[in-house]
Amino acid sequence: MQSAMFLAVQHDCVPMDKNAGSGPKSEEKREKMKRTLLKDWKTRLSYFLHNSSTPGKPKASKKSKQQTFIKPSPEEALLWSEAFDELLASKYGLAAFRAFLKSEFCEENIEFWLACEDFKKTKSPQKLSSKARKIYTDFIEKEAPKEINIDFQTKTLIAQNIQEATSGCFTTAQKRVYSLMENNSYPRFLESEFYQDLCKKSQITTDPHTT
């Protein structure tokens, strides 16, 4: 069973083969695909930027949203490559990473991580218990709608822990999912067309000086 789960984790978020096909026609197809993916990225990012209020907290006003989600400068975007935490600490970066994971069909990883972050901040024992059950049914139990890839033993331990929920119920699973994203999805995000586009300096600022 453990071997099967290990293989499932290893094959999670498998990217599309960039080297498929060759020749002028294939190159044209790849360029067209890149443009389509960038457009799709921006659509997904726009969605996440407008739906990124922290669970349990009131949504920000339109004015505050405009102040919060300003497109980063190339220098700010480059900081995300220094550490995974730098990316997660940026609201724009987090939204971009969520859009990237959605494009790879593994957004459940970041959604689980965010749910755990919110869970750890919960003070009320009653809310802690209800949130623990929801996280379990959403992400942990067999055939959950957003089931994450963790081993059977960890799932069993969580099922036991949520009977008397504490803030550390999902610590082990959250660490494993964080490690999976950091070592798997994060490097591919940094290589993505969308991230590379964010890091490019505007061509307008590099025009030759007029004489």
Side-chain angles (χ1 to χ4, degrees):
M1 181 66 183
Q2 285 181 318
S3 298
M5 292 305 300
F6 176 78
L7 289 172
V9 171
Q10 291 300 307
H11 288 84
D12 196 25
C13 305
V14 177
M16 181 176 56
D17 184 3
K18 294 180 181 178
N19 298 317
S22 58
K25 288 186 178 180
S26 295
E27 186 65 30
E28 184 179 340
K29 285 182 180 179
R30 280 196 292 270
E31 288 301 320
K32 185 177 180 181
M33 189 175 293
K34 284 181 182 180
R35 291 193 296 270
T36 303
L37 285 173
L38 276 174
K39 184 178 180 180
D40 186 53
W41 260 91
K42 291 173 183 177
T43 301
R44 293 180 190 277
L45 179 58
S46 177
Y47 169 80
F48 282 118
L49 289 177
H50 287 85
N51 293 274
S52 296
S53 58
T54 303
K57 291 185 179 181
K59 291 186 178 180
S61 64
K62 290 183 179 179
K63 182 178 180 181
S64 62
K65 277 187 179 180
Q66 290 172 351
Q67 294 172 341
T68 302
F69 297 122
I70 298 173
K71 183 178 179 180
S73 66
E75 291 76 17
E76 290 171 326
L78 282 170
L79 288 176
W80 302 347
S81 66
E82 294 184 0
F84 187 38
D85 284 336
E86 288 284 350
L87 173 65
L88 297 181
S90 164
K91 290 186 177 181
Y92 194 102
L94 177 59
F97 187 59
R98 288 182 70 185
F100 173 74
L101 290 182
K102 190 170 182 66
S103 73
E104 293 207 328
F105 306 102
C106 54
E107 67 270 25
E108 69 276 1
N109 290 329
I110 191 64
E111 289 182 11
F112 171 71
W113 185 86
L114 289 169
C116 289
E117 287 295 289
D118 175 64
F119 177 76
K120 291 187 294 187
K121 298 173 185 175
T122 304
K123 304 297 182 183
S124 167
Q126 289 183 334
K127 288 185 178 180
L128 203 66
S129 180
S130 63
K131 285 185 178 182
R133 287 195 298 271
K134 179 168 177 54
I135 291 175
Y136 181 79
T137 56
D138 283 353
F139 300 100
I140 307 298
E141 69 179 1
K142 186 178 180 180
E143 297 185 5
K146 302 176 184 179
E147 187 177 3
I148 57 172
N149 282 316
I150 56 175
D151 60 88
F152 179 75
Q153 284 80 1
T154 302
K155 287 190 174 189
T156 302
L157 181 62
I158 291 173
Q160 295 171 352
N161 288 343
I162 64 172
Q163 301 305 315
E164 294 183 11
T166 66
S167 59
C169 278
F170 303 100
T171 300
T172 301
Q174 187 183 17
K175 285 181 179 178
R176 292 188 182 185
V177 167
Y178 178 94
S179 178
L180 177 65
M181 292 191 296
E182 183 179 33
N183 296 310
N184 191 347
S185 303
Y186 172 56
R188 290 204 302 277
F189 170 77
L190 297 180
E191 295 175 356
S192 69
E193 293 289 331
F194 181 80
Y195 177 69
Q196 295 298 323
D197 189 55
L198 279 178
C199 293
K200 288 179 182 177
K201 292 186 178 181
S202 174
Q203 295 299 314
I204 298 177
T205 61
T206 58
D207 285 341
H209 295 291
T210 55
T211 54

